[in-house]
Structures are given as C-alpha cells and as structure tokens.
Amino acid sequence: MLNGFNTRAVQAGDLKIREIGNVVTPIFENSTFIYPNSESEYMDSSSGMPYIYSRWGNPTVQSLEDKYRALENTGHAVAFSSGMGAITAAVLSNIKKKRILSIMDLYGQTFQFFSRTLKTLGIHVDFIDVDKLNNLDFDAKNYDLVYAESITNPLLKVIDIKNVAAFCHENDVLFIDDATFASPYNQNPVELGADIVVHSATKYISGHSDVIIGIAGTNNYYNNLIEMRKTLGASPDAFQAYLSYRGLKTLGLRMERHNKNAMELARFLRDSKKVLNVNYPGLDDNKYHKIAGKEMRGYGGMLSFTLNSMEDAHKLIKNLEIPAYAASLGGVESLITMPVETTHASLSPEERRSLGISDSLVRFSTGIEDIDDIIKDFENALSKL
C-alpha cells in the first residue's frame, strides 16, 4: 500500500517495461507511434487506446500525470506545456454563460488573460476581493465558474476553499483553484471541494528551475481538459515531463525544508525594524493564519515584505548574496524579486495600486539552503539600509 506522501512520490506512476527492466520511466521523445498497435499492453489513458501521437498522449507524460494524481488525490490529471496552458484550458473548456468571477489578487499573466484576452472573446470577468469571496459576498448564480488562487501572488492571502467551493456547488457553479504556491504537499484543493486544481508545475512540482510545465487535477472534468489540450496544442514534450516526474519524487523532502525556512525567515523579518510588514500565512498574527491552519498542512516557501522605499528594496537586493534576482519561484535555490518589475510589470500602476502592490514590495521564494546562512545574509543586507 502506498500510503505515505514520500512513498507515493517515489513509487507511484512509474512506467516499468518488463522486457527492459528499467527502474525509472524512460523518456519517449516520439512524435508518433506505430498504429494500429494491437499488441501493446500500454494504453493512452486519455483515449483507452494504444498511443498514436504525442500531442494526444505520451507514455512519459502519462507517467508524470499518474504520479501527480497520486499526490494530489484526484481521479485524473492532465499535464500541459506551461502553467498558463493549464489555466487557459481549465477556463476555456468550462465556459457556458460567458461570465467568470475571479479574485483580483492574481498572477500577472492570469490577470491579463482574464481582463484583456477573454474580453476579446466576448467573455466577461468580474473581479472580487479575497475577503469578500471568503465571506461569500457574491451572487454565484451569475457565473459559469469562480476562479481563485489558494495563496495569492504576491500578498499571500489565503482562500477558504472549503467554504467557497461548497457555496459554488450549492449554486451549480464550477470552482477552479490555482494551488501553485501551496503545492500538493501542503494542500489538495479537490479534496476540499474544488472541481479543478491547476499548478504551474514549473515551480514546486518540478523544483529545480529547469523546465516550463503545467498540470491540472480533477475528478469529473478530465475529458474537457484533454480535448482543450489537444485543441490548444498545449501538450508538454517528454523531456519536460521527465524532469517534472523526477522532481516530484523529492517534493515532500523539499517542501519540508521550504516550509521550515520560510517560517523562520518570516519571523526574523517581522522582528526587523527595517521591515514595515511581512506577508506570510504561517505567522500567528497574520490575517489568514486561521484559514491556512484549517486547510493546509504547511504554509509554503513564499513570503513577501514591504520596505520604506523602492530605493531600499533595490539596495537590499543588491547586498544579498544568496538569492538570485529572478522571477519564478519554488526551486531549490532562493529567489528574490520585486513584483512591480517582474511578475506584475504588465499591469498599470493603477491596477497594481488597486491590488495593494506597492513599489517597495519584495517577494522572496525561500530555497532549501541552510536557514542560518539565509538569515545572516539578510542581517547583513538590512544593516546597510
């Protein structure tokens, strides 16, 4: 029985070919397969037929999907060529009334997709504050679907998934959740009631900043996702899938360290006189601590904090030695960035202000380095402000 998270992470989903005796899943860099192949015992789960074409299904990709769904505790999984591929497929495959409700606090590209791209397709998106969503202060019957992020980017607000999902289902509305910041180690949104969970698997799932890939988990909307992936051409290639499959094997071990390091760093920054405020749901005085404690097994490796000025933020980053100044997150190495210059640079100043994203906000993706070294690095950099 594969009960423990790390046991499932290592053992589940591996494709082992008896005639070869391989221990790990091979990389099937095939665009096409012999057809019909009636002798094959390996079937494409998307069709129940032998593999035909890698845009439709690929053995290495399926191995990743099977391992992920064992960790996400969903009946099905679909991998995509990027996190945005997973998001666009999940949304576009479930539109009927052409009306969506989404939280305002979104990853920048998701916000652009909702506020600009969908508008050109005649799909209307209303935006709602996280607190209003958590308080169920909306008329769900007006919408095809409600969209949220488990932990928002970059202010680390936390969605009450169980409460919101139950309200959506009472009104026959789909609920989609982006759980990238949480990872399957810390949270399983479908178990809490979400209909579809999506991840930028580029981040914690892959874990090494060397691949672009997305993935979605669901119990009931598998065919919708598969057909949209085929149509959009958003299938990952086998090598992307292999790197992510390999990364998943250590997800539990990595997340234990991410969770621990981020908590200790958040406490250190909270106590610093040079830092105005810290956004991290693991802090007991954080506004969203109670919700996070109820619906998450850990608080994640992401945090953000505000300094007195943009000049201070630049000076801090310049004097830090461990983190690289880069967008993205969830890798073994620490990364630091300013949302105004990277993740949310595509938004107008007015849009950023409406989201509470100041010019001196700093986002930190805590890696798995020794926490004593990370804190010493911050002590030195903060002392120069």
Side-chain angles (χ1 to χ4, degrees):
M1 295 292 291
L2 305 182
N3 293 322
F5 187 92
N6 289 319
T7 304
R8 284 178 283 146
V10 174
Q11 298 290 336
D14 287 7
L15 173 56
K16 297 178 180 179
I17 303 169
R18 293 192 309 273
E19 294 84 354
I20 297 175
N22 56 294
V23 175
V24 299
T25 295
I27 303 172
F28 284 87
E29 278 287 5
N30 297 50
S31 60
T32 190
F33 300 84
I34 293 172
Y35 180 81
N37 186 8
S38 58
E39 297 180 4
S40 176
E41 61 181 285
Y42 303 102
M43 297 294 175
D44 179 352
S45 62
S46 69
S47 65
M49 303 288 287
Y51 294 97
I52 298 174
Y53 191 60
S54 277
R55 178 165 54 84
W56 297 5
N58 176 283
T60 310
V61 174
Q62 187 171 314
S63 184
L64 164 65
E65 293 168 341
D66 288 344
K67 188 177 290 291
Y68 162 77
R69 69 182 176 85
L71 300 179
E72 192 67 81
N73 296 326
T74 55
H76 305 283
V78 183
F80 295 85
S81 55
S82 69
M84 285 307 302
I87 292 167
T88 54
V91 170
L92 292 175
S93 63
N94 289 288
I95 292 295
K96 296 176 182 177
K97 301 173 187 174
K98 295 190 175 182
R99 200 170 187 95
I100 296 170
L101 180 68
S102 171
I103 59 169
M104 292 188 293
D105 303 68
L106 291 170
Y107 167 58
Q109 194 66 54
T110 308
F111 183 81
Q112 190 169 27
F113 171 58
F114 281 163
S115 63
R116 300 171 191 175
T117 307
L118 289 183
K119 188 176 181 180
T120 67
L121 301 176
I123 299 170
H124 183 82
V125 181
D126 289 329
F127 293 97
I128 186 171
D129 177 76
V130 166
D131 294 335
K132 285 189 174 182
L133 185 76
N134 283 344
N135 291 329
L136 309 181
D137 186 13
F138 61 98
D139 187 351
K141 294 179 181 178
N142 289 335
Y143 303 101
D144 289 314
L145 61 89
V146 172
Y147 184 93
E149 296 177 1
S150 292
I151 307 173
T152 66
N153 180 14
L155 296 177
L156 288 298
K157 299 177 184 179
V158 181
I159 302 300
D160 188 338
I161 295 173
K162 194 169 185 179
N163 195 35
V164 174
F167 185 65
C168 287
H169 294 159
E170 287 172 10
N171 292 277
D172 196 28
V173 175
L174 197 75
F175 181 55
I176 300 175
D177 180 67
D178 180 343
T180 297
F181 273 30
S183 87
Y185 181 80
N186 286 331
Q187 185 186 64
N188 301 124
V190 172
E191 287 195 329
L192 295 170
D195 295 289
I196 300 173
V197 56
V198 296
H199 289 266
S200 172
T202 303
K203 287 35 176 210
Y204 288 111
I205 285 175
S206 297
H208 293 80
S209 302
D210 56 4
V211 63
I212 300 292
I213 197 166
I215 203 159
T218 186
N219 289 333
N220 302 313
Y221 296 89
Y222 179 65
N223 290 334
N224 291 15
L225 292 169
I226 284 292
E227 288 304 313
M228 189 56 69
R229 182 178 72 177
K230 289 181 184 179
T231 301
L232 295 177
S235 304
D237 79 11
F239 190 57
Q240 286 178 304
Y242 173 79
L243 290 175
S244 303
Y245 148 90
R246 184 174 66 171
L248 263 181
K249 293 194 174 193
T250 60
L251 178 63
L253 301 179
R254 290 184 284 106
M255 289 310 303
E256 285 181 20
R257 178 60 71 91
H258 287 303
N259 289 343
K260 180 178 181 293
N261 281 0
M263 178 69 83
E264 294 193 31
L265 180 61
R267 287 170 176 162
F268 165 79
L269 292 172
R270 180 183 60 182
D271 295 339
S272 172
K273 295 180 180 179
K274 303 288 182 70
V275 178
L276 298 182
N277 71 286
V278 180
N279 304 303
Y280 186 67
L283 296 174
D284 53 16
D285 59 352
N286 182 271
K287 180 178 181 179
Y288 301 95
H289 180 69
K290 186 176 180 180
I291 296 173
K294 180 179 66 173
E295 298 193 350
M296 299 179 67
R297 296 180 289 270
Y299 302 105
M302 296 300 299
L303 57 89
S304 63
F305 55 94
T306 307
L307 298 175
N308 283 304
S309 66
M310 193 174 190
E311 180 182 0
D312 276 356
H314 283 143
K315 192 171 183 180
L316 174 80
I317 292 168
K318 181 179 179 181
N319 285 291
L320 286 168
E321 295 183 1
I322 289 176
Y325 184 69
S328 200
L329 58 108
V332 294
E333 62 287 304
S334 291
L335 299 176
I336 195 166
T337 188
M338 294 177 64
V340 67
E341 295 178 343
T342 53
T343 59
H344 291 71
S346 63
L347 305 186
S348 68
E350 293 76 18
E351 288 172 329
R352 286 194 295 270
R353 279 195 294 271
S354 71
L355 296 174
I357 299 172
S358 71
D359 289 349
S360 60
L361 180 70
V362 178
R363 195 189 76 177
F364 192 76
S365 173
T366 314
I368 66 170
E369 302 94 346
D370 293 309
I371 188 58
D372 289 346
D373 291 331
I374 294 174
I375 288 177
K376 286 178 183 176
D377 197 19
F378 268 93
E379 284 178 338
N380 175 63
L382 287 168
S383 70
K384 297 179 179 178
L385 299 186

